[in-house]
Amino acid sequence: MVVNTLSRSGEEAYARAVRLLRELGVPVMETYALRKPERLPEVVEEVLGGGCDLLVLGGGDGSVSTVVDYLAGRETVLGLIPLGTANDFARTLEIPFELEAACRTIARGKVVDVDLGLAGDNYFVNVATVGIGAEVTRALSPQLKKRFGSLAYPVAAIKAFFRHEPFSARLTFPDGDHDPVELERLLQVAVGNGRFYGGGLAVSPEAGMDDKRLDVYAIRMGRHRDLLGVLRYLRSGDFIKQENVHQYRTRRVCLETEPELPVNIDGEVVARTPQEFRVVPDALRVVVPPGSTAAR
């Protein structure tokens, strides 16, 4: 069991989670309370080197995104205790946020296979964004998260919107399932693997984590009243029906932008355009509640 104790509720949850899991019959052999998140890759490599069957991770989407780089393609199963600000990976898979219920899911749940997105050599679970999404990440300080919790995302989005400069993009599809497109005056391009990002905003109403597809959308700036229509439906995903939104489902997409821009992957800026994104089917094994229908 590895817990990021700097995640929003990590410190208080650590000892209680260990006790609950053991009471529920989960044979927790090793525990790590990390106060320095940068140690997470080193600890996960150490744990996997010892032949671990189940890795219980306590943390938010950033911690999950870091860990899947090491779990992708392995038999080791991920059990998740959501302790972050947004917890969009858990939301997509219907993993409960409440600590006791999350521990009960790990003890009594079922194992499913989920897809991962891949940007260059960076795996992602939720979404990769270019444009205002990366600007939101820069505005989303630890102080803002602590003060506003899940409301930190819309607060950061408002700040980012007033700083945003529209950009141009070219989307090409190596598998030939869509024609190339060139778009001007964009607010954002997003490439989604899961259904949710940004604290419960939906990539698309049909997006799923085991559908072997990425959901891609691009939002043009347009008129302010049109943009308000998009923002209104972001939570449900119905914004893709708006006139200034272009949406595609694909296995692979190449994105070029003018100017070159940072790429925000699961809340961390770790790459730049141009960038190719692709789906890696059934790349990760995860414990979900017995009644979850989010993946098989």
Side-chain angles (χ1 to χ4, degrees):
M1 176 172 166
V2 181
V3 176
N4 173 12
T5 58
L6 286 185
S7 62
R8 190 159 183 259
S9 52
E11 187 73 54
E12 61 194 61
Y14 170 68
R16 187 170 166 230
V18 174
R19 176 177 57 79
L20 283 169
L21 286 170
R22 286 177 172 155
E23 287 175 357
L24 288 162
V26 179
V28 180
M29 305 302 293
E30 300 283 348
T31 64
Y32 300 82
L34 302 185
R35 288 169 179 80
K36 295 182 178 179
E38 59 269 21
R39 288 197 60 229
L40 188 56
E42 164 199 339
V43 169
V44 170
E45 280 193 295
E46 178 186 328
V47 165
L48 295 178
C52 169
D53 295 313
L54 171 69
L55 173 61
V56 176
L57 175 67
D61 289 316
S63 298
V64 174
S65 192
T66 296
V67 166
V68 298
D69 283 334
Y70 301 91
L71 287 182
R74 289 179 174 263
E75 290 298 304
T76 301
V77 176
L78 174 66
L80 181 61
I81 299 174
L83 299 176
T85 304
N87 299 313
D88 287 306
F89 180 69
R91 195 187 309 271
T92 294
L93 293 178
E94 300 168 2
I95 296 170
F97 293 2
E98 196 274 321
L99 183 63
E100 188 167 345
C103 289
R104 197 159 49 246
T105 292
I106 292 165
R108 307 280 183 260
K110 62 184 179 183
V111 177
V112 297
D113 296 316
V114 302
D115 305 335
L116 293 175
L118 189 61
D121 57 0
N122 291 290
Y123 287 97
F124 61 96
V125 291
N126 296 324
V127 71
T129 59
V130 170
I132 198 169
E135 293 159 24
V136 169
T137 296
R138 283 198 290 267
L140 199 63
S141 65
Q143 293 79 10
L144 201 66
K145 287 184 180 181
K146 279 192 177 294
R147 184 176 177 187
F148 292 102
S150 60
L151 291 176
Y153 284 86
V155 171
I158 291 167
K159 289 183 175 181
F161 177 75
F162 287 107
R163 291 201 297 260
H164 178 72
E165 292 289 336
F167 64 98
S168 304
R170 175 178 169 82
L171 299 173
T172 54
F173 303 88
D175 295 340
D177 46 351
H178 301 283
D179 292 331
V181 291
E182 297 197 15
L183 303 167
E184 304 286 334
R185 289 189 51 76
L186 293 177
L187 179 72
Q188 174 165 283
V189 175
V191 181
N193 174 58
R195 176 165 295 183
F196 297 109
Y197 72 102
L201 304 180
V203 175
S204 160
E206 293 84 27
M209 220 170 234
D210 68 345
D211 59 6
K212 317 296 183 282
R213 293 289 187 277
L214 298 172
D215 287 85
V216 183
Y217 73 76
I219 303 177
R220 285 185 289 111
M221 283 291 286
R223 296 169 299 181
H224 281 171
R225 67 183 184 186
D226 295 335
L227 189 59
L228 287 174
V230 170
L231 296 175
R232 181 181 172 190
Y233 295 109
L234 271 174
R235 193 156 291 274
S236 67
D238 288 335
F239 70 94
I240 63 171
K241 299 171 185 175
Q242 300 292 308
E243 185 181 348
N244 55 333
V245 178
H246 301 259
Q247 193 241 356
Y248 311 90
R249 304 197 82 207
T250 187
R251 291 177 180 271
R252 287 196 297 161
V253 61
C254 296
L255 171 64
E256 302 168 73
T257 64
E258 177 58 45
E260 292 185 5
L261 293 170
V263 181
N264 169 15
I265 296 175
D266 286 338
E268 302 288 336
V269 176
V270 296
R272 293 188 67 83
T273 58
Q275 190 66 246
E276 178 178 294
F277 304 89
R278 65 184 179 91
V279 69
V280 185
D282 298 333
L284 182 69
R285 307 179 76 209
V286 189
V287 186
V288 298
S292 172
T293 59
R296 294 180 299 278

